[in-house]
Amino acid sequence: MQEEHRQSLKRNYVQLVKETPTDLVVDHLYQNGILTDEMREEILQNSNSYSKTRQLITTLQRRGPRAFECFCTALTDEGKSSLVHLLKESKIESEVSKDRAMLPIGG
């Protein structure tokens, strides 16, 4: 996963933990090869949805370059396009901030 995607997950962590339908999203990610069977079981064995989502976000950050986009697709498929909007908007804001940091002072 790219650093900008990790940062987007971090900046929206509380909202994601509150609103992600984790069981369904985990199934999407498993079906698309983002999560292994062991990862899926580890996430779903948590006792409540908050713990499941925290584990999912931690695991996602260690997955490959397709993980973020597959996560966004799964959220959209489960009716959570507002979360996808937050994640992508956050990514754009990060890129704009990076560009501003590269501008000369006073320019």
Side-chain angles (χ1 to χ4, degrees), residues 43-80:
I43 292 166
L44 296 178
Q45 77 179 359
N46 285 286
S47 59
N48 62 60
S49 65
Y50 295 117
S51 297
K52 288 178 186 180
T53 306
R54 285 192 294 267
Q55 180 71 41
L56 171 61
I57 293 169
T58 299
T59 302
L60 263 182
Q61 292 181 48
R62 294 181 275 129
R63 302 308 291 157
R66 293 179 43 239
F68 185 80
E69 286 306 322
C70 283
F71 179 60
C72 289
T73 299
L75 288 171
T76 300
D77 288 352
E78 294 306 324
K80 294 295 184 174

Side-chain angles (χ1 to χ4, degrees), residues 62-96:
R62 294 181 275 129
R63 302 308 291 157
R66 293 179 43 239
F68 185 80
E69 286 306 322
C70 283
F71 179 60
C72 289
T73 299
L75 288 171
T76 300
D77 288 352
E78 294 306 324
K80 294 295 184 174
S81 55
S82 60
L83 288 177
V84 174
H85 180 75
L86 277 175
L87 289 169
K88 297 211 174 185
E89 192 67 27
S90 180
K91 182 180 166 231
I92 290 167
E93 287 173 14
S94 172
E95 290 170 0
V96 168

